[in-house]
Structures are given as C-alpha cells and as structure tokens.
Amino acid sequence: QNERQNERQNERQNERQNENQRQNERKRSERESESERRGEGVGRDCSVELDMRLSGACPVQEEGPPLSGGSGGEGEGDTVAAEVEAEAEAEAEAEAEAEAEVMAGTGLGVCCAALCAEVRGRAEAGDAEAQYVLGRLWKHGNADVGMPRNLRKAAYWYSEAAMQGHPLAQTKLASIYQYGKVGYGRDVALAKQLLEAAANQGLTLAQFKLGKLCAARRESIEEGIRWYKAAAGRGDYRSQFNLAKLYSSGISRVHDHEQALHYYRLAAEQGFVKAQYNLAKLYSHSYPPDGKPNVYEAIKWYMRSGEQGFVKANYNLGIMYIKFVKDDDKAQHYFRLAAERNFAKAQFNLGWMLHRLHKNKTEAAEWYRQAAVQGHVVAQTSLARLYRVGDGVEKDLREAVRWYRQAALGGYLKAQVMLGNLYLTGDAVEAEAEEAA
C-alpha cells in the first residue's frame, strides 16, 4: 500500500512538472511572438515613451562640460566631398571602437547558436547589456545561427536597452532618429536628448556625435565646441580634429589660430593623417606673431602625412622645397611621389621641372600628357606647344590643335589666344582638314 501511495504521489508530481513546463513553453512562445511582432513590424515610434523615461534613467544635465575657448580664422582643408568622406570614415571608426570595447567587456564576441539563445533569453528578461548585444547581432546578422540581418529588430532592441540607460544603445538609437532610419520618424530633438543622456554618462562616442550635431548649426556651435572638448579631453582625435577645423574656420566668433594649432597638433601626434596635413598647411601660411610661415614645422608635418601615403602632402612638400628651401632636387622627388599616385598638379609640376630645368623634354611630355588627360588646362597647353614645335615629341599640328582646344574650352586664356593665332595663320584650319580627310 505504501508503494502504491508513493507511485501515485510521483505521478502527480510528474504531472505538475509537465504542466509547469508546458506553461513555461507557452509563455516563452508568446514572448518570442511579441518580440518578433515588435521587431519585424513598422518601426514603432517610442519617442513619447523615451521622453518620459530618459530623464529618470540617465543623469541628463542641463548643460554640457564648461566652455573654455576662443574665437576663429579662415578655414582651409580639402574639398567638400573629401571632408564628408573623412567625417563618415571617422564616425564609422569611432562606432566600431566603441562597439568592440563593449563586446570585449561582455565576453560575447563569438556568436554561436547557444550563445545567441542565451543573449535572447537575458534580453527578454530585461538585461540591458543583453538587449544591446541582441540589437547588434540583428544589425550585423548571422545566417549560421538563424539571425539574418534585420535593422528593425536591431532598432527595437536598441530602444529597449536605451530606455534602461545603456549609453551605446542610446547612441545607436540617436542615429536612427537623427536620420529617420528603418521606419522610425525623423526626430532630431529626440536624437539630441539620447546623445546627451549617453554623453553625460561619459561615452566618448556620444560626446563626439553630440558635438558634431550641435556644431552643424551656427546657433549651437558653442555647445558643439563644449562637447567636442569633452571628448577631446579623453584623447578622441576625431573631436580634436573637428575642434581645430572649427577654430580655423571663417566663423568669426569661434576663430582662434592658436586653438586650431593646439587641437590639430593633439590629433596629429596620434597619427591622424588629415590632422598632420592641416597642421602643416597652417604652419606653411602666415603665422603669428611675425606673420611669416613656420617652414620647419610645415615640412615636418607634411613629411609625416606624406609617409602615410597622403598624396597632397607630398605635392605640398614639393612646393615648400621650391618656394622656401630652394632645393630643386628634393622638390622634384616629392612631386614625383605625388605624380606617381596620379595627382595632376604634381604631374604638371614634375613635367615643368623636367622640361625647363633638366631639358628632359621626352619625359616631360609624358607627365604633361598624364595631367592633361585629367583636365589640367596648363598641362594641356604645355603639351600642345610641344606638339606644335616638335619639342620632345614628333611635330603634329592636329594634336596641338586638339590640346589647345581642350584647354581653351576649359577657360584657359593663354590656350584661347594660341588657338586663335593658329586659326589666323591657317594652321588650325589645315590641321582640321587633314583630320577630316
């Protein structure tokens, strides 16, 4: 009888365990369905919820770090396209560094099925770190573990972590709202609020991004400088570089030559090639207090930039050695380095030196040609002259007229005059007739 009672008791216990397991599985399935629904659907606008919860979750301050700063100078740098590309590269690099640091701290760097299941379980249980990691996993995707790339799911989990005060998740979500990505409405004010929350927790990436967001508008440029300084003080070379650009800009109220030199130098000493180049450019122009260039410093920083393969630095080194040092051999050396990287101005200058100084007209013609095909109008005119007189190349009036015409169409006055003279003498008409025949 005791045995039968024990058996019935064991059976009831097993039934309860089975029922509990079925209930847990049912709840888990419901949670997964809800997560799938929220992640896969149109990006939900959680701006109201974030507005309500951010101030309680994060120590948002009314103001950023204190401003200690100056006033401006005329900005110099590369083309707008190059600057935009450099900004995008710097931001992507900053995000990658911040992500790597967080992932290293979690020990979740290698993705496998068991680990993803663990992360998902922790995320659904409310673990902010796991929610961020799960968002990152969805962002990058991993088909081997059944997680194809899904930006909406990534955004959902970033928002869950952000509302718990996770600074990197707040920064990621800020980018989504700033640019209106994956179905989320564009909300720059909320993006700024998210960045402030992360920046006030000391996340350098957020301070850099907040500085960039504020500095893009003239009315908040001082606020941008404050946040750039916060990140620059932590050694962020991107913020140091952007600060220097602001201080060397044409915006009078922030123009400060000494501050520009200071921050360019900080970034340059960390090996940032564009900072090295811009620092050299500042030194190569009039420099207070005597208004003269600092040739030694300019050459030093151009060299460091050129050693990293920055082609414009080698070209400008050539200019420095011609203009200030009066060393034609070194000038030719640096022009050649840039010319071999297909930099048209260096190709023309190298051709000119070979033509005028070394009388190597055959090689000069080849460098003129390489610059000419890139639209360098002075090189086109110089090449046309060589063809017109047969100097270093076989005399060919048709080629001369062709290159004069290209330069003339490019607006180069000397080429227009030379082409007009060829028409007056009839040489251009004769050349065109031969070409037509």
Side-chain angles (χ1 to χ4, degrees):
Q1 186 176 2
N2 289 335
E3 288 178 1
R4 284 197 298 272
Q5 287 178 348
N6 289 336
E7 286 177 2
R8 283 196 296 271
Q9 187 175 355
N10 289 335
E11 286 175 0
R12 285 195 296 272
Q13 186 174 356
N14 288 335
E15 287 176 2
R16 283 197 299 271
Q17 288 177 347
N18 291 335
E19 179 61 25
N20 289 337
Q21 186 175 356
R22 285 193 294 271
Q23 289 179 359
N24 288 336
E25 288 178 355
R26 208 163 33 245
K27 290 178 181 178
R28 179 178 177 81
S29 177
E30 289 172 358
R31 285 198 305 269
E32 287 182 348
S33 298
E34 176 65 11
S35 296
E36 293 291 313
R37 181 188 67 78
R38 289 180 294 186
E40 289 180 336
V42 176
R44 65 192 181 110
D45 186 356
C46 58
S47 58
V48 175
E49 190 176 358
L50 280 166
D51 276 329
M52 293 172 62
R53 295 179 63 179
L54 268 174
S55 58
C58 310
V60 181
Q61 302 172 1
E62 291 184 2
E63 296 183 75
L67 173 66
S68 61
S71 53
E74 189 172 5
E76 295 179 300
D78 301 319
T79 62
V80 173
E83 292 292 350
V84 170
E85 183 180 355
E87 287 284 351
E89 289 176 0
E91 196 162 325
E93 185 178 348
E95 290 194 9
E97 289 174 1
E99 282 189 338
E101 185 177 344
V102 169
M103 294 302 291
T106 62
L108 300 173
V110 180
C111 185
C112 63
L115 186 59
C116 288
E118 178 191 346
V119 170
R120 186 193 294 268
R122 284 167 51 187
E124 290 171 352
D127 185 320
E129 195 74 57
Q131 289 169 343
Y132 164 75
V133 173
L134 187 56
R136 184 178 183 276
L137 292 175
W138 279 119
K139 178 188 176 185
H140 296 285
N142 190 325
D144 294 336
V145 295
M147 294 182 71
R149 191 166 186 258
N150 190 318
L151 296 180
R152 287 180 177 174
K153 286 186 177 182
Y156 167 72
W157 286 111
Y158 284 151
S159 70
E160 293 294 297
M163 286 188 286
Q164 295 196 67
H166 192 285
L168 193 49
Q170 290 169 338
T171 305
K172 292 286 188 181
L173 192 61
S175 293
I176 291 171
Y177 277 109
Q178 184 176 353
Y179 301 108
K181 298 177 181 177
V182 294
Y184 282 59
R186 188 168 186 267
D187 189 336
V188 177
L190 179 58
K192 184 181 178 186
Q193 185 184 0
L194 285 159
L195 287 174
E196 285 173 343
N200 279 314
Q201 294 185 71
L203 184 66
T204 304
L205 173 63
Q207 293 169 344
F208 164 69
K209 283 176 164 282
L210 185 55
K212 184 179 176 183
L213 178 65
C214 295
R217 301 172 62 88
R218 280 182 175 262
E219 60 268 24
S220 59
I221 195 168
E222 285 85 0
E223 185 181 0
I225 287 174
R226 288 198 297 270
W227 286 112
Y228 274 147
K229 282 189 172 182
R234 292 169 167 264
D236 183 62
Y237 67 86
R238 292 162 288 258
S239 296
Q240 293 163 351
F241 178 73
N242 283 6
L243 264 175
K245 286 202 300 180
L246 284 173
Y247 282 126
S248 62
S249 72
I251 303 173
S252 60
R253 71 177 189 266
V254 298
H255 175 77
D256 190 320
H257 187 80
E258 290 300 325
Q259 287 280 62
L261 284 173
H262 171 68
Y263 284 106
Y264 272 141
R265 183 178 287 275
L266 288 178
E269 287 172 347
Q270 294 193 64
F272 189 41
V273 65
K274 287 184 70 64
Q276 294 170 340
Y277 174 76
N278 283 12
L279 178 60
K281 287 191 76 172
L282 281 187
Y283 278 125
S284 69
H285 292 80
S286 59
Y287 179 75
D290 56 6
K292 295 180 180 179
N294 189 328
V295 176
Y296 173 80
E297 287 291 324
I299 288 177
K300 180 179 79 172
W301 289 108
Y302 275 141
M303 280 185 172
R304 292 193 185 181
S305 180
E307 285 165 1
Q308 294 196 64
F310 199 67
V311 65
K312 289 184 178 181
N314 286 324
Y315 169 74
N316 282 6
L317 272 170
I319 297 294
M320 295 295 294
Y321 276 107
I322 281 182
K323 187 174 180 180
F324 297 107
V325 186
K326 313 298 182 185
D327 188 330
D328 291 342
D329 290 337
K330 283 192 175 180
Q332 184 174 322
H333 167 72
Y334 286 108
F335 283 144
R336 188 177 292 275
L337 288 178
E340 288 171 350
R341 296 280 304 279
N342 207 33
F343 193 59
K345 290 181 179 180
Q347 290 168 340
F348 168 74
N349 283 11
L350 178 59
W352 184 90
M353 294 190 77
L354 291 167
H355 183 193
R356 301 293 183 181
L357 302 181
H358 301 286
K359 309 302 180 185
N360 187 344
K361 296 174 183 177
T362 301
E363 188 182 357
E366 181 54 35
W367 287 114
Y368 282 154
R369 184 188 310 280
Q370 290 193 37
V373 296
Q374 295 190 69
H376 193 290
V377 292
V378 185
Q380 291 169 343
T381 304
S382 299
L383 183 60
R385 181 190 174 280
L386 295 183
Y387 275 115
R388 182 171 62 84
V389 300
D391 199 3
V393 294
E394 186 177 348
K395 184 176 180 179
D396 189 332
L397 281 176
R398 285 178 297 178
E399 281 295 290
V401 169
R402 182 168 78 89
W403 287 113
Y404 275 138
R405 180 179 289 111
Q406 287 203 28
L409 291 172
Y412 189 44
L413 179 61
K414 186 174 180 180
Q416 294 168 347
V417 172
M418 294 302 299
L419 185 60
N421 287 338
L422 287 176
Y423 275 110
L424 284 174
T425 60
D427 290 336
V429 176
E430 182 181 342
E432 289 172 347
E434 289 178 6
E435 187 173 6

